[in-house]
Amino acid sequence: MLQKMQKKTMPRVFMLCAFSAMLLINIFSVRISSIILMLTAGLISLIIFMVKKPAAKGGAGK
């Protein structure tokens, strides 16, 4: 996965945060449903997509 990942900072930060969260959940034996984890990840990526969406939707002259 690391080889195919974009060479930008943000994807690496997200991967590190996800890895850290999963490791901490496993270490502290927190019982969280995998469905909740998947829905949370989807919600976070939707929020990131909405924030990074380009503001200008017109041509160069608009």
Side-chain angles (χ1 to χ4, degrees):
M1 280 182 9
L2 287 174
Q3 291 175 348
K4 292 186 178 186
M5 185 184 297
Q6 296 177 357
K7 304 290 189 229
K8 296 181 181 176
T9 309
M10 242 5 191
R12 292 178 188 254
V13 169
F14 291 135
M15 184 192 67
L16 183 63
C17 289
F19 176 76
S20 299
M22 291 178 70
L23 184 64
L24 289 173
I25 287 171
N26 192 14
I27 288 173
F28 294 115
S29 299
V30 178
R31 298 188 62 94
I32 297 177
S33 172
S34 59
I35 295 172
I36 298 295
L37 288 175
M38 287 188 281
L39 289 174
T40 304
L43 182 64
I44 290 171
S45 66
L46 179 66
I47 291 169
I48 291 169
F49 174 75
M50 297 299 283
V51 168
K52 293 188 89 169
K53 191 164 77 168
K57 287 198 169 208
K62 294 184 179 180

mmCIF file of all heavy atoms in Angstrom, residues 32-45:
data_model
loop_
_atom_site.group_PDB
_atom_site.id
_atom_site.type_symbol
_atom_site.label_atom_id
_atom_site.label_comp_id
_atom_site.label_asym_id
_atom_site.label_seq_id
_atom_site.Cartn_x
_atom_site.Cartn_y
_atom_site.Cartn_z
ATOM 1 N N ILE A 32 -15.382 -2.275 20.106
ATOM 2 C CA ILE A 32 -16.109 -1.436 19.168
ATOM 3 C C ILE A 32 -16.489 -2.311 17.984
ATOM 4 O O ILE A 32 -15.660 -3.049 17.451
ATOM 5 C CB ILE A 32 -15.261 -0.239 18.698
ATOM 6 C CG1 ILE A 32 -14.918 0.655 19.871
ATOM 7 C CG2 ILE A 32 -15.992 0.555 17.642
ATOM 8 C CD1 ILE A 32 -14.025 1.817 19.512
ATOM 9 N N SER A 33 -17.714 -2.218 17.568
ATOM 10 C CA SER A 33 -18.190 -2.993 16.431
ATOM 11 C C SER A 33 -17.446 -2.579 15.163
ATOM 12 O O SER A 33 -17.169 -1.400 14.942
ATOM 13 C CB SER A 33 -19.693 -2.759 16.247
ATOM 14 O OG SER A 33 -20.132 -3.349 15.052
ATOM 15 N N SER A 34 -17.141 -3.547 14.317
ATOM 16 C CA SER A 34 -16.453 -3.237 13.069
ATOM 17 C C SER A 34 -17.347 -2.403 12.149
ATOM 18 O O SER A 34 -16.853 -1.613 11.344
ATOM 19 C CB SER A 34 -16.019 -4.521 12.372
ATOM 20 O OG SER A 34 -17.131 -5.339 12.109
ATOM 21 N N ILE A 35 -18.655 -2.547 12.281
ATOM 22 C CA ILE A 35 -19.578 -1.735 11.480
ATOM 23 C C ILE A 35 -19.452 -0.269 11.875
ATOM 24 O O ILE A 35 -19.416 0.608 10.999
ATOM 25 C CB ILE A 35 -21.027 -2.237 11.657
ATOM 26 C CG1 ILE A 35 -21.143 -3.638 11.084
ATOM 27 C CG2 ILE A 35 -22.016 -1.289 11.006
ATOM 28 C CD1 ILE A 35 -22.454 -4.313 11.369
ATOM 29 N N ILE A 36 -19.350 0.007 13.162
ATOM 30 C CA ILE A 36 -19.176 1.387 13.629
ATOM 31 C C ILE A 36 -17.863 1.960 13.109
ATOM 32 O O ILE A 36 -17.812 3.110 12.673
ATOM 33 C CB ILE A 36 -19.220 1.448 15.172
ATOM 34 C CG1 ILE A 36 -20.573 0.975 15.695
ATOM 35 C CG2 ILE A 36 -18.895 2.839 15.676
ATOM 36 C CD1 ILE A 36 -21.732 1.850 15.302
ATOM 37 N N LEU A 37 -16.793 1.159 13.130
ATOM 38 C CA LEU A 37 -15.503 1.628 12.621
ATOM 39 C C LEU A 37 -15.580 1.957 11.130
ATOM 40 O O LEU A 37 -15.060 2.985 10.689
ATOM 41 C CB LEU A 37 -14.414 0.588 12.869
ATOM 42 C CG LEU A 37 -13.964 0.420 14.306
ATOM 43 C CD1 LEU A 37 -12.975 -0.725 14.416
ATOM 44 C CD2 LEU A 37 -13.345 1.704 14.822
ATOM 45 N N MET A 38 -16.248 1.103 10.345
ATOM 46 C CA MET A 38 -16.367 1.352 8.909
ATOM 47 C C MET A 38 -17.220 2.586 8.627
ATOM 48 O O MET A 38 -16.891 3.388 7.743
ATOM 49 C CB MET A 38 -16.945 0.134 8.199
ATOM 50 C CG MET A 38 -15.971 -1.005 8.095
ATOM 51 S SD MET A 38 -16.550 -2.340 7.060
ATOM 52 C CE MET A 38 -17.656 -3.173 8.182
ATOM 53 N N LEU A 39 -18.321 2.742 9.354
ATOM 54 C CA LEU A 39 -19.170 3.924 9.157
ATOM 55 C C LEU A 39 -18.429 5.200 9.548
ATOM 56 O O LEU A 39 -18.548 6.227 8.868
ATOM 57 C CB LEU A 39 -20.462 3.787 9.959
ATOM 58 C CG LEU A 39 -21.449 2.753 9.446
ATOM 59 C CD1 LEU A 39 -22.618 2.616 10.405
ATOM 60 C CD2 LEU A 39 -21.924 3.099 8.058
ATOM 61 N N THR A 40 -17.656 5.150 10.620
ATOM 62 C CA THR A 40 -16.875 6.310 11.044
ATOM 63 C C THR A 40 -15.827 6.668 9.993
ATOM 64 O O THR A 40 -15.650 7.843 9.658
ATOM 65 C CB THR A 40 -16.202 6.037 12.398
ATOM 66 O OG1 THR A 40 -17.205 5.679 13.345
ATOM 67 C CG2 THR A 40 -15.445 7.243 12.891
ATOM 68 N N ALA A 41 -15.135 5.664 9.467
ATOM 69 C CA ALA A 41 -14.132 5.916 8.424
ATOM 70 C C ALA A 41 -14.781 6.512 7.178
ATOM 71 O O ALA A 41 -14.233 7.441 6.558
ATOM 72 C CB ALA A 41 -13.400 4.628 8.082
ATOM 73 N N GLY A 42 -15.950 6.007 6.809
ATOM 74 C CA GLY A 42 -16.661 6.561 5.653
ATOM 75 C C GLY A 42 -17.083 7.995 5.879
ATOM 76 O O GLY A 42 -16.980 8.837 4.982
ATOM 77 N N LEU A 43 -17.548 8.293 7.076
ATOM 78 C CA LEU A 43 -17.963 9.656 7.397
ATOM 79 C C LEU A 43 -16.777 10.616 7.370
ATOM 80 O O LEU A 43 -16.868 11.718 6.817
ATOM 81 C CB LEU A 43 -18.634 9.687 8.775
ATOM 82 C CG LEU A 43 -19.162 11.037 9.233
ATOM 83 C CD1 LEU A 43 -20.282 11.512 8.314
ATOM 84 C CD2 LEU A 43 -19.662 10.949 10.659
ATOM 85 N N ILE A 44 -15.663 10.186 7.919
ATOM 86 C CA ILE A 44 -14.461 11.037 7.915
ATOM 87 C C ILE A 44 -13.992 11.283 6.493
ATOM 88 O O ILE A 44 -13.659 12.415 6.132
ATOM 89 C CB ILE A 44 -13.359 10.396 8.771
ATOM 90 C CG1 ILE A 44 -13.738 10.458 10.249
ATOM 91 C CG2 ILE A 44 -12.013 11.095 8.541
ATOM 92 C CD1 ILE A 44 -12.829 9.665 11.152
ATOM 93 N N SER A 45 -13.981 10.248 5.655
ATOM 94 C CA SER A 45 -13.525 10.472 4.282
ATOM 95 C C SER A 45 -14.515 11.318 3.489
ATOM 96 O O SER A 45 -14.114 12.091 2.618
ATOM 97 C CB SER A 45 -13.233 9.155 3.584
ATOM 98 O OG SER A 45 -14.358 8.408 3.400
#
